[in-house]
Amino acid sequence: SLVYQPQYNISTKKIIGVEALLRWDNEILKSVSPSEFVPIAESTGAIIDIGEFVFEKAMEEFQDVCKRILETDNQYNQSNRFRLSINVSILQLSNENFLDHLFALINKFECKNAKLMLEITESLIIANHQKVGAILEKIRQSGIEVSLDDFGTGYSSLSYLSKLPINELKIDKSFINDITTSKSSLTLIKSIINLSKNLGFEVLAEGVETQEQIKVLKKHQCNNIQGYYFSKPLDKTKLLEFLENNK
């Protein structure tokens, strides 16, 4: 099943979109963390089918958000579109049918006041940057945006980072946890934000849980944030209620 976590703009305090997150509740195993089952799904190739489910389910459920929120709230329009972020594995991205399936879904579930953002983990891009770069270029040319997830954990090479067709760097939660107590974490955050600005990328900090963290991120001009301070991940019904109450 899917849940959705709201993402905010620090300056405007407005919701800019949601990230779709995968959940698995099993009768025998109970609630299984994505950190446990996703690597197994990737190693067996099952992630291809799971990935198709995620995209189809997310876009299907997002239709209600479009109809009930985006089409009736005048803050969302062609110049300020609400974003739906979905994680993509390297196996999905490399699958020969991925782009055709993705573009077909977009045509089927089109929402003029929304945009799709694909989140790609930094470590996966590093290992496959030439092949992935060509695929990402096709994706971005189609109007889909790309976010580099977990940035700072994959020992990036700045030489290829400047050449990748991405729109956003997403700062990993591990850096945010100690931002108010660790000078080194704060230095890294400031460096990532400055790097993003210089390269023309947006920057989003995930795992934000306190007002103090928000103050630090705002002071250093982080664009967007996501985390439990604002909202835990919500199923579709609760998300619609949340968006209605936060217009």
Side-chain angles (χ1 to χ4, degrees), residues 147-233:
S147 176
L148 189 57
D149 197 10
D150 299 336
F151 185 74
T153 63
Y155 309 103
S156 298
S157 166
L158 298 184
S159 63
Y160 84 78
L161 181 62
S162 63
K163 299 173 185 177
L164 282 174
I166 60 177
N167 302 90
E168 176 185 82
L169 296 183
K170 193 170 186 182
I171 303 174
D172 186 67
K173 182 181 185 299
S174 61
F175 295 113
I176 304 302
N177 290 340
D178 303 324
I179 194 174
T180 60
T181 58
S182 168
K183 184 177 180 180
S184 59
S185 289
L186 178 58
T187 300
L188 283 170
I189 292 290
K190 290 163 61 176
S191 298
I192 292 172
I193 292 172
N194 288 334
L195 174 65
S196 299
K197 301 289 185 183
N198 290 336
L199 291 175
F201 303 149
E202 291 288 301
V203 58
L204 184 146
E206 63 178 343
V208 177
E209 297 181 351
T210 69
Q211 181 65 42
E212 289 73 22
Q213 290 171 343
I214 294 173
K215 287 180 180 178
V216 173
L217 290 166
K218 184 175 182 178
K219 176 182 178 181
H220 295 291
Q221 299 182 320
C222 177
N223 302 107
N224 305 313
I225 49 180
Q226 173 182 345
Y228 272 50
Y229 179 82
F230 289 105
S231 175
K232 64 180 183 180

Side-chain angles (χ1 to χ4, degrees), residues 68-175:
R68 293 173 53 178
I69 306 295
L70 305 188
E71 293 178 3
T72 60
D73 190 339
N74 58 19
Q75 72 170 302
Y76 301 114
N77 49 52
Q78 280 291 294
S79 60
N80 183 37
R81 294 185 294 166
F82 192 95
R83 69 190 206 176
L84 170 63
S85 296
I86 302 178
N87 292 276
V88 181
S89 77
I90 189 63
L91 289 181
Q92 286 175 269
L93 204 62
S94 302
N95 184 279
E96 60 182 9
N97 298 319
F98 175 73
L99 290 182
D100 289 341
H101 182 251
L102 177 61
F103 296 150
L105 280 176
I106 291 173
N107 291 332
K108 181 179 179 182
F109 298 113
E110 185 177 2
C111 180
K112 64 180 181 179
N113 290 337
K115 62 184 176 183
L116 179 64
M117 175 171 276
L118 302 187
E119 295 195 6
I120 316 294
T121 59
E122 179 187 9
S123 57
L124 294 178
I125 288 185
I126 289 173
N128 305 272
H129 66 272
Q130 289 185 331
K131 181 177 181 180
V132 169
I135 298 172
L136 293 182
E137 186 60 48
K138 291 181 181 179
I139 288 173
R140 201 169 73 158
Q141 286 176 0
S142 73
I144 299 170
E145 296 189 356
V146 179
S147 176
L148 189 57
D149 197 10
D150 299 336
F151 185 74
T153 63
Y155 309 103
S156 298
S157 166
L158 298 184
S159 63
Y160 84 78
L161 181 62
S162 63
K163 299 173 185 177
L164 282 174
I166 60 177
N167 302 90
E168 176 185 82
L169 296 183
K170 193 170 186 182
I171 303 174
D172 186 67
K173 182 181 185 299
S174 61
F175 295 113

